Amino acid sequence: MGTSIHPRKSHHASRAVALAAPSGWHRLQPLILALVAWTLILVATVSAAEREAAETLSIGDKVTISVFGQTDLSGDFVLDGSGAVNMPLAGRIKVAGLTAMEAEARIRSGLMDGYLKDAVVSLRIAELKPVYIMGEVRSPGTYPFRHGLNILAAVALAGGYRVGDESIAVLKSELLLADEREQLLTASLQTLTARRQRLEAERDGVKQLVADARSAGSAQILAGEQEILDFQRRAREGERDLLSQQVARLQSEKAALTEQARLVERQVELTREQSTEYNKLATTGHGLRTVQVERERDYARTQGEAARLRAELAKSETALGELTLRLRELDTTYMRRVVLELQDTRQKILEVERSLPTAREIAESRRRRVVASQGSGAAADWDIRITRQAGLAPVTLHANFETTLQPGDVVQVNPKTRAAESSIPGEAAKTPVRQLTGLASQQ
C-alpha cells in the first residue's frame, strides 16, 4: 500500500520551497559582489603597474639631458643603483620613478638652487634597455629593444621555437620575420608622420600639435614631438631675444654718437670762425702771434675730435649691421633646416608607404603557409611570461604573441604542460603572478 500526499500539503510544501529560495540567493549575493570587486581591483592594479612601467624612468636607463646655453652641464647620464643621475654642479639628483617631464622639473629645480639664475632643461631616453629572451627558443640571449616589438617578433629574433620538424620551424621563422617587418614599417610610418606634422608646425609657426584620437600610439609619439617643438621654439626665441637686445643697445649708442658728432661739428665751425677773425686782426697788427697759434690749435683739436666721433659712428653702424645680419641668418638657417628635414621626412614616408603593402602581403602569405602545414603557432601551445620592472619592483605577467614588450623585459617561452593545456585559450589576463625572486625559486 503506497503512501499518498494530500493536495493541500503538497501546495504548502511548494510554497515553502519558493519562499526559501530568495533567502539563499541573498546569502550568495555578498560573495558574488566580493568576487566582482576583487576582479576589478586586480585589473586596475595591473593597468596602473603597466602604465607606471611604460611612462617612468628606472634604474639603468641612459638619458640625454640638455641644458640650454650650458654645454658643460649637458650630456648623457645613466641612472645609478639608487635611481639618480650625477649632474655637474647640482650633484646626484634622484629621478627614478618619475616621468620625463617630472625629471626635467626636478633637475631644473636642482640647477636653480644656488647655481643658475634660470635653466631650460630637456630630457630624453638616449638608450633603451635590451630585452632578454629565454626558454624554448633557438638562440636565448639579449636583444636590442625596438618600438613596437612584441612576443612574436622577439621569438623571431631568438631564431624561432625549438620544434622537431625543421621545415615547420623555417616557415614559422619566416612568418615571424615578415610580421616583424610589417609592424616596424607601421611604427616607422607613425613616427615619420608625427615628425612631419612637427616640422610643418615649425615652418608655419604653429605652437600646438593636434593628436589623432583614433590611434593611442600616434598620440604618444606626437607627445614626444610636441616636447621637441616646445624646446626648439624656446631655444630659438631665447637666441633671438639676446640678439635683439644687442641690436637695441647698439642703436642707442649710435644715436648718442650721432648727437655728439653734431655738437662737435658745430664746435669745429665756431672754432674755425674764431680762428679766421683773429687771423684778420693779426694781419693788421692788432693781434698777437701766440694767440693766433692757440686759436689754430683749438681748431685742429676740434677737427680731430670730430674725425674720431665719425670713426666710432662708422664702427657702431658696422656692428649694428653685423648683428642685424646675424638675426636674419638665424631665421634663414632655422627655416632652411626645417625645410630640408621636412623634405627628407616626406621622402621617407613615401618609401615606407610603398613598402608597407608588400610587407603585409608577404606576412599574410607566410601565415597561410604555416596554417597549411599545420604548424603550432598559437598562444594556447605556449606558456609565455614577462618579468617587467614596475617602478622599482619587478612583477611577472602572463602574455601572448601580440603582447607588446617594454625595455628591460625578460621573456620566458616554454611549452605548456598537459595541465596548462586544459586552461581557456585566448587573450591572457595580464595579472601579476609573483615577484622575480619567487619566479627564480620555482624555476
Side-chain angles (χ1 to χ4, degrees):
M1 182 170 136
T3 303
S4 62
I5 300 176
H6 196 277
R8 183 180 299 275
K9 292 183 179 180
S10 176
H11 172 72
H12 289 314
S14 300
R15 185 178 179 184
V17 172
L19 291 174
S23 63
W25 168 251
H26 285 304
R27 286 196 298 270
L28 290 176
Q29 272 187 330
L31 179 60
I32 295 174
L33 292 176
L35 290 175
V36 172
W38 180 84
T39 304
L40 293 176
I41 293 173
L42 188 59
V43 172
T45 303
V46 175
S47 300
E50 289 183 342
R51 194 181 309 113
E52 182 182 3
E55 297 177 354
T56 60
L57 301 175
S58 60
I59 296 172
D61 283 342
K62 184 177 182 181
V63 297
T64 297
I65 300 175
S66 300
V67 183
F68 176 68
Q70 302 290 335
T71 56
D72 295 336
L73 303 181
S74 304
D76 293 337
F77 303 85
V78 179
L79 274 67
D80 58 19
S82 62
V85 291
N86 193 4
M87 292 282 297
L89 295 181
R92 296 175 71 256
I93 302 176
K94 188 172 182 180
V95 296
L98 302 179
T99 63
M101 294 183 63
E102 292 171 346
E104 289 175 358
R106 180 168 293 185
I107 293 172
R108 181 176 182 270
S109 176
L111 292 175
M112 293 178 61
D113 187 12
Y115 302 106
L116 297 178
K117 184 178 180 181
D118 192 12
V120 178
V121 179
S122 174
L123 182 144
R124 65 177 180 85
I125 298 178
E127 183 176 322
L128 298 173
K129 289 182 289 187
V131 294
Y132 306 88
I133 307 173
M134 309 184 328
E136 291 299 317
V137 292
R138 292 187 177 275
S139 301
T142 305
Y143 294 89
F145 176 80
R146 302 175 183 174
H147 289 288
L149 185 70
N150 59 11
I151 298 293
L152 195 65
V155 173
L157 291 176
Y161 315 109
R162 291 179 183 172
V163 293
D165 191 346
E166 182 65 25
S167 61
I168 295 178
V170 171
L171 290 177
K172 290 181 180 179
S173 297
E174 292 177 352
L175 171 60
L176 296 174
L177 292 174
D179 187 69
E180 179 194 13
R181 174 168 173 76
E182 178 186 352
Q183 294 189 20
L184 288 176
L185 287 174
T186 302
S188 178
L189 182 60
Q190 291 179 345
T191 302
L192 290 171
T193 302
R195 185 184 304 170
R196 179 185 64 185
Q197 186 173 350
R198 188 252 302 171
L199 292 171
E200 290 175 347
E202 291 185 34
R203 179 197 62 188
D204 301 335
V206 178
K207 296 183 180 181
Q208 185 65 40
L209 302 180
V210 179
D212 186 359
R214 295 172 298 178
S215 176
S218 298
Q220 294 176 358
I221 296 173
L222 202 63
E225 295 294 336
Q226 181 67 52
E227 293 180 2
I228 298 175
L229 177 63
D230 294 339
F231 175 76
Q232 292 185 350
R233 179 173 56 82
R234 290 195 301 266
R236 182 189 179 195
E237 290 177 353
E239 192 170 355
R240 282 185 58 85
D241 289 343
L242 291 176
L243 290 176
S244 298
Q245 291 173 7
Q246 296 182 23
V247 168
R249 179 178 58 81
L250 287 177
Q251 288 176 343
S252 299
E253 292 180 359
K254 178 184 175 182
L257 288 174
T258 302
E259 180 63 19
Q260 291 181 17
R262 187 185 66 80
L263 295 176
V264 170
E265 289 292 343
R266 178 59 180 163
Q267 187 176 359
V268 168
E269 184 65 22
L270 294 175
T271 306
R272 184 182 63 80
E273 292 178 358
Q274 290 179 357
S275 178
T276 301
E277 293 296 330
Y278 199 82
N279 285 338
K280 293 179 180 179
L281 292 176
T283 303
T284 58
H286 294 86
L288 298 176
R289 177 62 180 169
T290 55
V291 176
Q292 180 183 5
V293 171
E294 185 65 25
R295 293 297 175 83
E296 291 179 355
R297 185 180 299 166
D298 289 343
Y299 177 61
R301 185 167 55 252
T302 54
Q303 283 184 320
E305 180 67 15
R308 184 187 66 79
L309 286 174
R310 286 194 297 270
E312 290 186 3
L313 186 59
K315 184 188 294 185
S316 177
E317 291 177 348
T318 301
L320 183 60
E322 290 177 352
L323 281 177
T324 304
L325 182 61
R326 283 181 58 188
L327 195 59
R328 293 178 180 175
E329 286 181 349
L330 174 66
D331 295 335
T332 303
T333 303
Y334 175 82
M335 193 57 62
R336 183 185 300 114
R337 177 191 63 80
V338 169
V339 171
L340 291 177
E341 289 187 10
L342 184 58
Q343 291 178 349
D344 181 66
T345 302
R346 286 173 174 171
Q347 181 63 32
K348 291 180 179 178
I349 289 176
L350 289 176
E351 294 174 358
V352 173
E353 288 177 343
R354 292 170 183 169
S355 303
L356 191 55
T358 304
R360 288 173 177 167
E361 181 63 27
I362 293 175
E364 183 61 26
S365 174
R366 298 286 190 270
R367 195 170 292 109
R368 288 194 297 266
R369 290 176 60 190
V370 169
V371 173
S373 62
Q374 297 181 353
S376 176
D381 299 331
W382 297 91
D383 182 15
I384 304 173
R385 304 192 181 193
I386 300 175
T387 301
R388 175 173 297 169
Q389 196 77 13
L392 299 178
V395 295
T396 301
L397 316 170
H398 285 296
N400 56 27
F401 290 143
E402 288 75 27
T403 302
T404 302
L405 295 177
Q406 296 178 7
D409 281 353
V410 180
V411 182
Q412 183 76 29
V413 181
N414 290 307
K416 284 188 176 180
T417 60
R418 293 181 181 272
E421 288 176 355
S422 62
S423 62
I424 300 176
E427 184 74 14
K430 300 179 181 179
T431 306
V433 181
R434 53 186 177 271
Q435 298 295 333
L436 180 61
T437 54
L439 176 62
S441 63
Q442 294 189 19
Q443 290 177 345

